[in-house]
Amino acid sequence: MNVLIISGTGLISTAITRELLARGDTVTHYNRGQRAAASPEGVRRIAGDRQDYAAFERQMAEAGPFDCVLDMICFTPEEAESAVRAFRGRAGQFIFCSTVDVYRKPAGRYPVREDEPRDPASPFTYAADKARCEAVFEAAHARGDFPVTTIRPAQTYGEGGRLVHTFGAATTYFDRLRKGKPIIVHGDGRSLWAACHRDDVGRAFAGAAGNARTFGKSYHATGEEWLTWDRYHQGVAEAIGAPPPRLVHIPTDLLLRVAPRRAWICAVNFSFNNIFDNTAARTDLGFRYTVPFVEGVRRTVAWLDARGQIEDSDADPFEDRVVAAWERLGAEMARELDGTEG
């Protein structure tokens, strides 16, 4: 099968490429060639900028047709419309990498299934744009000449990537854990989160490629260890040999006020339960969750360590300042209200 991956060197793309090559497919990467990671041996590469729509569409017309196109870096409706123009009638299948963040939050039921209402008006711009992209591709599919499959990963991590936490994805997080520093947790630490290693997610995409039963359908490719955020942090500490973490719970709305840049992701995403039903992917794509979270974290952090990419948390004392202020003001409040409950 002749397969094009738009991107190719990203976290999930790397795993997909390995799977496709192993089964004997011909693989082409389309990207700007600016990442340090190079395409593996045997992969053809086309250099270009997919945001230069006219040039991109011209390049794809010259390069195609393809049996399958996997678009891993379509983030806006304009990019989606360009992809439809580029591949209508020139691709046997178009696989769109979307996200589970397209759903309305909080969801109406858990675990979330693929037919849960989406929210193109979400304040989370990335999620809202992905939902609009899905609508563009679904309309093209409905016209009959653009067979679409949509896959919605959740947090995907692994060698070559990072892990998220309350204040984003800075690797100072691992250094804090190793040094026994307190870890800020949004809310009470009990909302649920699911993370999946890139190898398992990559196999789901590969299982969709060339699979006619997936046309016109959407699938989750997400973690199956439904972890509270408290357990998430404890698992990370276990994976890297750090002491059990001291978790400091702070209300999400307060974090958003004191650290709007770092904590916004908690308000729009992490504070909600994020658990998803993978039944459809298991049935149609052969998806399996094979990399346990602690093992996946161990591999991810070993990759970061080997490249000197763990940042020194002492150089960024902001979290310590937040913890100190929270504990000081909480103690003052307790003293002020002591004995007044009545």
Side-chain angles (χ1 to χ4, degrees):
M1 187 166 64
N2 187 19
V3 181
L4 170 70
I5 303 178
I6 303 177
S7 177
T9 57
L11 186 66
I12 301 175
S13 296
T14 301
I16 297 170
T17 299
R18 185 172 59 244
E19 292 290 324
L20 295 177
L21 290 175
R23 75 185 196 187
D25 292 333
T26 299
V27 179
T28 300
H29 288 171
Y30 178 89
N31 54 54
R32 291 178 294 177
Q34 295 180 346
R35 291 179 65 96
S39 299
E41 184 178 352
V43 173
R44 178 189 178 204
R45 190 177 72 82
I46 303 173
D49 181 357
R50 66 96 43 81
Q51 292 182 329
D52 183 346
Y53 301 137
F56 168 69
E57 292 161 30
R58 184 171 59 253
Q59 284 180 294
M60 295 302 94
E62 293 169 353
F66 294 96
D67 298 312
C68 180
V69 175
L70 295 97
D71 196 337
M72 308 304 294
I73 54 171
C74 178
F75 298 115
T76 69
E78 293 77 18
E79 291 171 348
E81 290 161 359
S82 175
V84 172
R85 292 192 298 268
F87 298 110
R88 175 178 286 151
R90 298 193 186 104
Q93 178 189 20
F94 185 91
I95 300 176
F96 172 49
C97 180
S98 187
T99 172
V100 294
D101 294 323
V102 297
Y103 298 115
R104 188 176 302 161
K105 297 179 185 295
R109 62 190 173 199
Y110 294 98
V112 176
R113 296 204 303 256
E114 288 85 354
D115 59 352
E116 185 72 14
R118 289 168 288 178
D119 185 10
S122 168
F124 190 3
T125 304
Y126 163 76
D129 280 346
K130 283 286 194 178
R132 295 187 185 101
C133 289
E134 287 194 14
V136 170
F137 292 133
E138 287 167 0
H141 176 86
R143 290 192 289 267
D145 57 355
F146 195 81
V148 171
T149 302
T150 299
I151 299 183
R152 299 174 184 144
Q155 180 197 351
T156 303
Y157 70 100
E159 300 87 326
R162 300 184 176 195
L163 270 77
V164 298
H165 48 85
T166 291
F167 275 170
T171 59
T172 51
Y173 166 65
F174 304 115
D175 189 62
R176 293 188 66 84
L177 285 167
R178 284 171 167 164
K179 292 176 177 175
K181 295 182 178 181
I183 301 298
I184 294 173
V185 186
H186 51 281
D188 63 3
R190 296 181 184 178
S191 58
L192 294 171
W193 187 254
C196 196
H197 190 272
R198 61 100 185 261
D199 288 354
D200 289 335
V201 177
R203 278 189 289 270
F205 277 86
N211 185 344
R213 78 172 69 179
T214 71
F215 294 179
K217 297 180 182 179
S218 301
Y219 298 90
H220 297 150
T222 70
E224 294 183 345
E225 293 174 79
W226 297 346
L227 305 171
T228 65
W229 278 99
D230 281 359
R231 178 62 194 128
Y232 177 97
H233 296 302
Q234 291 161 357
V236 174
E238 178 185 343
I240 65 176
R246 180 165 79 88
L247 304 178
V248 178
H249 300 103
I250 301 178
T252 302
D253 55 355
L254 179 59
L255 287 174
L256 187 62
R257 289 183 62 188
V258 303
R261 179 176 59 83
R262 302 190 193 211
W264 71 271
I265 191 66
C266 294
V268 299
N269 194 1
F270 298 172
S271 59
F272 299 95
N273 288 322
N274 281 268
I275 56 174
F276 306 91
D277 188 340
N278 287 334
T279 300
R282 284 180 161 270
T283 301
D284 289 355
L285 312 182
F287 172 80
R288 296 293 182 270
Y289 182 77
T290 68
V291 183
F293 181 66
V294 169
E295 172 59 23
V297 173
R298 185 177 295 117
R299 289 160 52 176
T300 302
V301 176
W303 189 95
L304 292 167
D305 277 333
R307 290 156 181 80
Q309 294 186 16
I310 304 295
E311 302 163 284
D312 182 3
S313 63
D314 294 340
D316 183 10
F318 180 76
E319 290 186 49
D320 294 310
R321 292 174 56 205
V322 173
V323 170
W326 169 252
E327 293 181 338
R328 182 182 70 255
L329 295 171
E332 291 177 5
M333 182 178 180
R335 285 194 299 271
E336 179 180 331
L337 298 177
D338 184 37
T340 65
E341 182 179 4

